[in-house]
Amino acid sequence: MNIVLIGAGPRNLVLAERLVAYANASQSDQTITLADPYPIGGAVWHADQNPEFIANTISQHLTLFSDDTVDKQLPATAGPNFYDWVHQDAADYLQTRAFKNKDAFLTEIATLDPNHFSSRALFGLYASYYFETIQNQTSAHTHLNFKQSMVTAVEPATNDTFKIIFADETTVIADAVAYAPGYTSAQLTDQEQAFKEAASKHLDWHYLQPMQPSEAPLKSIRRNENVLIRGLGLSFFDYISGLTIGRGGRYERRANDQLVYIASGDEPHIIAGSRTGTLPRSKAFNQKTSAESYDGLFFTTENIDAHAQNGKISYDNLYALFEKEMTYKYYFNLMSDTAVNWTFNRRDFLLALQTSEDLNATAIEFGIPEHLRIDWSTILNPLADAPSDYQEFIEDYLQADITDAKKGNDNAPLAGTFELLKDLRGKLRNYIDQDYLDVDEFEKFLKQFNPINRLLNIGPPILRTEQLEALMRAGIITIAAPQFKVEVTENGYKATDEQGNSWTSTQLVEARLPGITLQHTADPVLQSLSAAGLITDVQLTRSDGSTFEIDAVYNDRKTLQAIDTHGAHLDNLFIFGTPTEGWNWFTSFAPRPNVNDKNLRDAETIAHHIFNN
């Protein structure tokens, strides 16, 4: 059998290990080919990228090797998690191999803490070690190969097989295909196309369209001039790192613990904004072990089933239980500050909260001051009452976020509360996969819950927020008010915000990844599969008979098999991860050790299906 895995990121790497285990146990020749235009690790994680770009998960919470928490039909190759490998074996591994970032790796290895956010390149080094380890586990009739080349098409062949076409014009006939590419390219929107055409007409204009920040040609951005940046999410923090540290700037920490930026003089002046104007909350300092999580008091199967009718629950009821859980965690952490002398017994307060229908009302009854009561409307809409001195407002907002996050992801009143969005993510996903939400309620969930999750739980490491605040104080960055809009004028790209500010620049950067789309994809694999009718987007029927369309690849959530235009499951075509986002919820996460990780479970599911179909 010939199996092709397209994409050499974490998902297909862990799948490769499972396939090798099943192939070794078989009695026939098996060839497994991993394909990617980037080195092992793929576009996001390969070892040759700029080591200034950091992961968004702490080092002890990353792995590629499976563990005993994941059910497996066949034993897995044993190996260390990422941090343990870095701490114990990485330096020796580097001594016998040539890597572009060797010196940077040795420095990082010497200082990496289990609670640090490592460079993405260093995880790519671990991925290379992992792949070599798996290759060394193959039997005489099992072959595991890596082909560093782009796949330009996947077409149906005869007898339920697939023709894989590479950029070098070679072809392979595959009996099974797994596609896990991460973010794929998308066609430019009309506005993006207008920005690009404007830059092509003027030699001194620069426009960087949505792309992986590690691939962006930031050297083209001129020093000491305005550059407009659209987007305030994770990519934004990568871009500002590249335009500051990457330009020779550096940070110093003063005696008062404040971070100060020392400019090199080669930085541009950055004006950044977005439609909402909100900056995501920082990831707090970690206080948890790799496997530690949170057991809910309110967001439980029993409570959810109690609110369900005929196996279905409304989004409002589901979120009410989730918000109640977060509210309790906030007050629990507030009570954990032993320096405060409350006028009531803390235990009595917590017990009262556990049986309360309205936790804030209970907080009022016990005399919690107004400024210490949790205010979800302000948390979810922090810019509702933004003053005219917007830069000072944002700096204060960032400083408050930093102060709270430094108290830790378990103890901090707010950051510890927002951590529940991660701790309960798997449980929430299970309810979605079990269809607790009907189509109408699932649509509501995507539209209302996803913005909450992005704001509170998908922010940068606290270090990046500190750096942003330092850059603002240094005058390197200006954050625009909400409704940041850009248009093309004769003099350049003109940006405005809702407070009447305007800026003009001949340099514009899209600080975001390409949109997840099947209908407007520019990815050749998705285009070829769609043209052949092997994949389709998601069409769901609302209660009123209308159609709710999700512009993502439709797959079976349990088996990860692609579903074709006729609604049939394709036995040996698997598409999982980012291209399915929206239908599958929250797919952008790396494997984590000792928590029965979904990536590791998915790998077992696919490998078992391929070899037992």
PDB file of all heavy atoms in Angstrom, residues 20-44:
ATOM      1  N   VAL A  20       3.259   3.948  10.753  1.00  0.00           N
ATOM      2  CA  VAL A  20       4.420   3.066  10.817  1.00  0.00           C
ATOM      3  C   VAL A  20       4.137   1.885  11.751  1.00  0.00           C
ATOM      4  O   VAL A  20       4.483   0.732  11.443  1.00  0.00           O
ATOM      5  CB  VAL A  20       5.671   3.847  11.272  1.00  0.00           C
ATOM      6  CG1 VAL A  20       6.795   2.895  11.678  1.00  0.00           C
ATOM      7  CG2 VAL A  20       6.140   4.776  10.171  1.00  0.00           C
ATOM      8  N   ALA A  21       3.490   2.154  12.873  1.00  0.00           N
ATOM      9  CA  ALA A  21       3.163   1.064  13.800  1.00  0.00           C
ATOM     10  C   ALA A  21       2.270   0.027  13.131  1.00  0.00           C
ATOM     11  O   ALA A  21       2.510  -1.188  13.249  1.00  0.00           O
ATOM     12  CB  ALA A  21       2.479   1.634  15.043  1.00  0.00           C
ATOM     13  N   TYR A  22       1.238   0.490  12.425  1.00  0.00           N
ATOM     14  CA  TYR A  22       0.342  -0.446  11.741  1.00  0.00           C
ATOM     15  C   TYR A  22       1.042  -1.128  10.565  1.00  0.00           C
ATOM     16  O   TYR A  22       0.828  -2.320  10.303  1.00  0.00           O
ATOM     17  CB  TYR A  22      -0.902   0.289  11.243  1.00  0.00           C
ATOM     18  CG  TYR A  22      -1.955   0.488  12.301  1.00  0.00           C
ATOM     19  CD1 TYR A  22      -1.934   1.598  13.139  1.00  0.00           C
ATOM     20  CD2 TYR A  22      -2.978  -0.444  12.483  1.00  0.00           C
ATOM     21  CE1 TYR A  22      -2.894   1.788  14.123  1.00  0.00           C
ATOM     22  CE2 TYR A  22      -3.948  -0.272  13.457  1.00  0.00           C
ATOM     23  CZ  TYR A  22      -3.899   0.850  14.280  1.00  0.00           C
ATOM     24  OH  TYR A  22      -4.861   1.021  15.250  1.00  0.00           O
ATOM     25  N   ALA A  23       1.877  -0.372   9.837  1.00  0.00           N
ATOM     26  CA  ALA A  23       2.589  -0.955   8.691  1.00  0.00           C
ATOM     27  C   ALA A  23       3.557  -2.038   9.149  1.00  0.00           C
ATOM     28  O   ALA A  23       3.675  -3.099   8.523  1.00  0.00           O
ATOM     29  CB  ALA A  23       3.332   0.147   7.940  1.00  0.00           C
ATOM     30  N   ASN A  24       4.271  -1.773  10.252  1.00  0.00           N
ATOM     31  CA  ASN A  24       5.203  -2.774  10.769  1.00  0.00           C
ATOM     32  C   ASN A  24       4.490  -4.064  11.154  1.00  0.00           C
ATOM     33  O   ASN A  24       5.054  -5.160  11.046  1.00  0.00           O
ATOM     34  CB  ASN A  24       5.949  -2.227  11.987  1.00  0.00           C
ATOM     35  CG  ASN A  24       6.987  -1.184  11.631  1.00  0.00           C
ATOM     36  OD1 ASN A  24       7.347  -1.015  10.469  1.00  0.00           O
ATOM     37  ND2 ASN A  24       7.468  -0.461  12.641  1.00  0.00           N
ATOM     38  N   ALA A  25       3.250  -3.933  11.631  1.00  0.00           N
ATOM     39  CA  ALA A  25       2.490  -5.110  12.065  1.00  0.00           C
ATOM     40  C   ALA A  25       1.860  -5.858  10.904  1.00  0.00           C
ATOM     41  O   ALA A  25       1.371  -6.977  11.079  1.00  0.00           O
ATOM     42  CB  ALA A  25       1.398  -4.681  13.048  1.00  0.00           C
ATOM     43  N   SER A  26       1.863  -5.266   9.725  1.00  0.00           N
ATOM     44  CA  SER A  26       1.289  -5.930   8.556  1.00  0.00           C
ATOM     45  C   SER A  26       2.314  -6.897   7.958  1.00  0.00           C
ATOM     46  O   SER A  26       3.471  -6.922   8.357  1.00  0.00           O
ATOM     47  CB  SER A  26       0.871  -4.901   7.499  1.00  0.00           C
ATOM     48  OG  SER A  26       2.005  -4.328   6.886  1.00  0.00           O
ATOM     49  N   GLN A  27       1.873  -7.652   6.969  1.00  0.00           N
ATOM     50  CA  GLN A  27       2.754  -8.648   6.357  1.00  0.00           C
ATOM     51  C   GLN A  27       3.143  -8.283   4.934  1.00  0.00           C
ATOM     52  O   GLN A  27       3.730  -9.104   4.225  1.00  0.00           O
ATOM     53  CB  GLN A  27       2.051 -10.015   6.364  1.00  0.00           C
ATOM     54  CG  GLN A  27       1.654 -10.510   7.742  1.00  0.00           C
ATOM     55  CD  GLN A  27       2.840 -10.647   8.670  1.00  0.00           C
ATOM     56  OE1 GLN A  27       3.875 -11.204   8.288  1.00  0.00           O
ATOM     57  NE2 GLN A  27       2.714 -10.141   9.897  1.00  0.00           N
ATOM     58  N   SER A  28       2.851  -7.042   4.513  1.00  0.00           N
ATOM     59  CA  SER A  28       3.126  -6.649   3.128  1.00  0.00           C
ATOM     60  C   SER A  28       3.886  -5.333   3.095  1.00  0.00           C
ATOM     61  O   SER A  28       4.005  -4.626   4.107  1.00  0.00           O
ATOM     62  CB  SER A  28       1.808  -6.519   2.349  1.00  0.00           C
ATOM     63  OG  SER A  28       0.947  -5.588   2.987  1.00  0.00           O
ATOM     64  N   ASP A  29       4.404  -5.003   1.913  1.00  0.00           N
ATOM     65  CA  ASP A  29       5.156  -3.766   1.751  1.00  0.00           C
ATOM     66  C   ASP A  29       4.247  -2.548   1.910  1.00  0.00           C
ATOM     67  O   ASP A  29       3.158  -2.500   1.331  1.00  0.00           O
ATOM     68  CB  ASP A  29       5.823  -3.725   0.370  1.00  0.00           C
ATOM     69  CG  ASP A  29       7.018  -4.656   0.275  1.00  0.00           C
ATOM     70  OD1 ASP A  29       7.492  -5.103   1.333  1.00  0.00           O
ATOM     71  OD2 ASP A  29       7.467  -4.940  -0.849  1.00  0.00           O
ATOM     72  N   GLN A  30       4.735  -1.588   2.663  1.00  0.00           N
ATOM     73  CA  GLN A  30       3.980  -0.353   2.892  1.00  0.00           C
ATOM     74  C   GLN A  30       4.929   0.828   2.704  1.00  0.00           C
ATOM     75  O   GLN A  30       6.033   0.833   3.250  1.00  0.00           O
ATOM     76  CB  GLN A  30       3.412  -0.306   4.314  1.00  0.00           C
ATOM     77  CG  GLN A  30       2.708  -1.566   4.778  1.00  0.00           C
ATOM     78  CD  GLN A  30       1.360  -1.775   4.095  1.00  0.00           C
ATOM     79  OE1 GLN A  30       0.827  -0.845   3.486  1.00  0.00           O
ATOM     80  NE2 GLN A  30       0.813  -2.973   4.199  1.00  0.00           N
ATOM     81  N   THR A  31       4.471   1.830   1.948  1.00  0.00           N
ATOM     82  CA  THR A  31       5.264   3.035   1.752  1.00  0.00           C
ATOM     83  C   THR A  31       4.468   4.248   2.220  1.00  0.00           C
ATOM     84  O   THR A  31       3.334   4.456   1.765  1.00  0.00           O
ATOM     85  CB  THR A  31       5.658   3.225   0.276  1.00  0.00           C
ATOM     86  OG1 THR A  31       6.462   2.113  -0.144  1.00  0.00           O
ATOM     87  CG2 THR A  31       6.451   4.511   0.078  1.00  0.00           C
ATOM     88  N   ILE A  32       5.055   5.001   3.109  1.00  0.00           N
ATOM     89  CA  ILE A  32       4.411   6.205   3.653  1.00  0.00           C
ATOM     90  C   ILE A  32       5.271   7.394   3.255  1.00  0.00           C
ATOM     91  O   ILE A  32       6.467   7.456   3.591  1.00  0.00           O
ATOM     92  CB  ILE A  32       4.300   6.120   5.184  1.00  0.00           C
ATOM     93  CG1 ILE A  32       3.527   4.862   5.597  1.00  0.00           C
ATOM     94  CG2 ILE A  32       3.638   7.375   5.751  1.00  0.00           C
ATOM     95  CD1 ILE A  32       3.817   4.410   7.014  1.00  0.00           C
ATOM     96  N   THR A  33       4.682   8.335   2.514  1.00  0.00           N
ATOM     97  CA  THR A  33       5.419   9.503   2.042  1.00  0.00           C
ATOM     98  C   THR A  33       4.827  10.763   2.646  1.00  0.00           C
ATOM     99  O   THR A  33       3.631  11.016   2.508  1.00  0.00           O
ATOM    100  CB  THR A  33       5.381   9.608   0.515  1.00  0.00           C
ATOM    101  OG1 THR A  33       5.949   8.419  -0.058  1.00  0.00           O
ATOM    102  CG2 THR A  33       6.179  10.824   0.029  1.00  0.00           C
ATOM    103  N   LEU A  34       5.673  11.515   3.310  1.00  0.00           N
ATOM    104  CA  LEU A  34       5.282  12.810   3.858  1.00  0.00           C
ATOM    105  C   LEU A  34       5.759  13.870   2.874  1.00  0.00           C
ATOM    106  O   LEU A  34       6.930  13.879   2.490  1.00  0.00           O
ATOM    107  CB  LEU A  34       5.944  12.997   5.224  1.00  0.00           C
ATOM    108  CG  LEU A  34       5.348  13.973   6.213  1.00  0.00           C
ATOM    109  CD1 LEU A  34       3.959  13.537   6.631  1.00  0.00           C
ATOM    110  CD2 LEU A  34       6.240  14.080   7.449  1.00  0.00           C
ATOM    111  N   ALA A  35       4.868  14.779   2.449  1.00  0.00           N
ATOM    112  CA  ALA A  35       5.203  15.765   1.419  1.00  0.00           C
ATOM    113  C   ALA A  35       4.899  17.171   1.908  1.00  0.00           C
ATOM    114  O   ALA A  35       3.829  17.419   2.473  1.00  0.00           O
ATOM    115  CB  ALA A  35       4.426  15.487   0.132  1.00  0.00           C
ATOM    116  N   ASP A  36       5.844  18.081   1.660  1.00  0.00           N
ATOM    117  CA  ASP A  36       5.663  19.479   2.050  1.00  0.00           C
ATOM    118  C   ASP A  36       6.741  20.305   1.343  1.00  0.00           C
ATOM    119  O   ASP A  36       7.888  19.857   1.255  1.00  0.00           O
ATOM    120  CB  ASP A  36       5.804  19.641   3.573  1.00  0.00           C
ATOM    121  CG  ASP A  36       5.199  20.938   4.092  1.00  0.00           C
ATOM    122  OD1 ASP A  36       5.638  22.024   3.657  1.00  0.00           O
ATOM    123  OD2 ASP A  36       4.280  20.864   4.928  1.00  0.00           O
ATOM    124  N   PRO A  37       6.415  21.505   0.856  1.00  0.00           N
ATOM    125  CA  PRO A  37       7.459  22.341   0.253  1.00  0.00           C
ATOM    126  C   PRO A  37       8.452  22.874   1.280  1.00  0.00           C
ATOM    127  O   PRO A  37       9.551  23.302   0.918  1.00  0.00           O
ATOM    128  CB  PRO A  37       6.670  23.479  -0.399  1.00  0.00           C
ATOM    129  CG  PRO A  37       5.374  23.527   0.332  1.00  0.00           C
ATOM    130  CD  PRO A  37       5.080  22.105   0.708  1.00  0.00           C
ATOM    131  N   TYR A  38       8.081  22.851   2.556  1.00  0.00           N
ATOM    132  CA  TYR A  38       8.963  23.293   3.630  1.00  0.00           C
ATOM    133  C   TYR A  38       9.630  22.071   4.274  1.00  0.00           C
ATOM    134  O   TYR A  38       9.185  20.934   4.087  1.00  0.00           O
ATOM    135  CB  TYR A  38       8.169  24.060   4.692  1.00  0.00           C
ATOM    136  CG  TYR A  38       7.601  25.355   4.189  1.00  0.00           C
ATOM    137  CD1 TYR A  38       6.336  25.401   3.609  1.00  0.00           C
ATOM    138  CD2 TYR A  38       8.331  26.541   4.275  1.00  0.00           C
ATOM    139  CE1 TYR A  38       5.807  26.595   3.137  1.00  0.00           C
ATOM    140  CE2 TYR A  38       7.814  27.745   3.804  1.00  0.00           C
ATOM    141  CZ  TYR A  38       6.552  27.762   3.236  1.00  0.00           C
ATOM    142  OH  TYR A  38       6.037  28.937   2.766  1.00  0.00           O
ATOM    143  N   PRO A  39      10.680  22.290   5.052  1.00  0.00           N
ATOM    144  CA  PRO A  39      11.286  21.167   5.773  1.00  0.00           C
ATOM    145  C   PRO A  39      10.308  20.554   6.768  1.00  0.00           C
ATOM    146  O   PRO A  39       9.209  21.066   6.990  1.00  0.00           O
ATOM    147  CB  PRO A  39      12.490  21.823   6.483  1.00  0.00           C
ATOM    148  CG  PRO A  39      12.780  23.067   5.711  1.00  0.00           C
ATOM    149  CD  PRO A  39      11.438  23.546   5.217  1.00  0.00           C
ATOM    150  N   ILE A  40      10.726  19.460   7.384  1.00  0.00           N
ATOM    151  CA  ILE A  40       9.909  18.810   8.408  1.00  0.00           C
ATOM    152  C   ILE A  40       9.475  19.844   9.448  1.00  0.00           C
ATOM    153  O   ILE A  40      10.276  20.632   9.944  1.00  0.00           O
ATOM    154  CB  ILE A  40      10.700  17.680   9.094  1.00  0.00           C
ATOM    155  CG1 ILE A  40      10.894  16.498   8.140  1.00  0.00           C
ATOM    156  CG2 ILE A  40      10.008  17.219  10.374  1.00  0.00           C
ATOM    157  CD1 ILE A  40       9.619  15.762   7.784  1.00  0.00           C
ATOM    158  N   GLY A  41       8.191  19.823   9.770  1.00  0.00           N
ATOM    159  CA  GLY A  41       7.598  20.841  10.631  1.00  0.00           C
ATOM    160  C   GLY A  41       6.637  21.722   9.870  1.00  0.00           C
ATOM    161  O   GLY A  41       5.748  22.345  10.450  1.00  0.00           O
ATOM    162  N   GLY A  42       6.812  21.798   8.541  1.00  0.00           N
ATOM    163  CA  GLY A  42       5.897  22.591   7.719  1.00  0.00           C
ATOM    164  C   GLY A  42       6.159  24.082   7.837  1.00  0.00           C
ATOM    165  O   GLY A  42       7.124  24.535   8.465  1.00  0.00           O
ATOM    166  N   ALA A  43       5.275  24.870   7.237  1.00  0.00           N
ATOM    167  CA  ALA A  43       5.465  26.320   7.154  1.00  0.00           C
ATOM    168  C   ALA A  43       5.580  26.980   8.521  1.00  0.00           C
ATOM    169  O   ALA A  43       6.373  27.905   8.711  1.00  0.00           O
ATOM    170  CB  ALA A  43       4.307  26.942   6.364  1.00  0.00           C
ATOM    171  N   VAL A  44       4.814  26.512   9.486  1.00  0.00           N
ATOM    172  CA  VAL A  44       4.771  27.171  10.799  1.00  0.00           C
ATOM    173  C   VAL A  44       5.913  26.729  11.697  1.00  0.00           C
ATOM    174  O   VAL A  44       6.455  27.531  12.467  1.00  0.00           O
ATOM    175  CB  VAL A  44       3.416  26.908  11.486  1.00  0.00           C
ATOM    176  CG1 VAL A  44       3.402  27.462  12.900  1.00  0.00           C
ATOM    177  CG2 VAL A  44       2.285  27.517  10.665  1.00  0.00           C
TER     178      VAL A  44
END
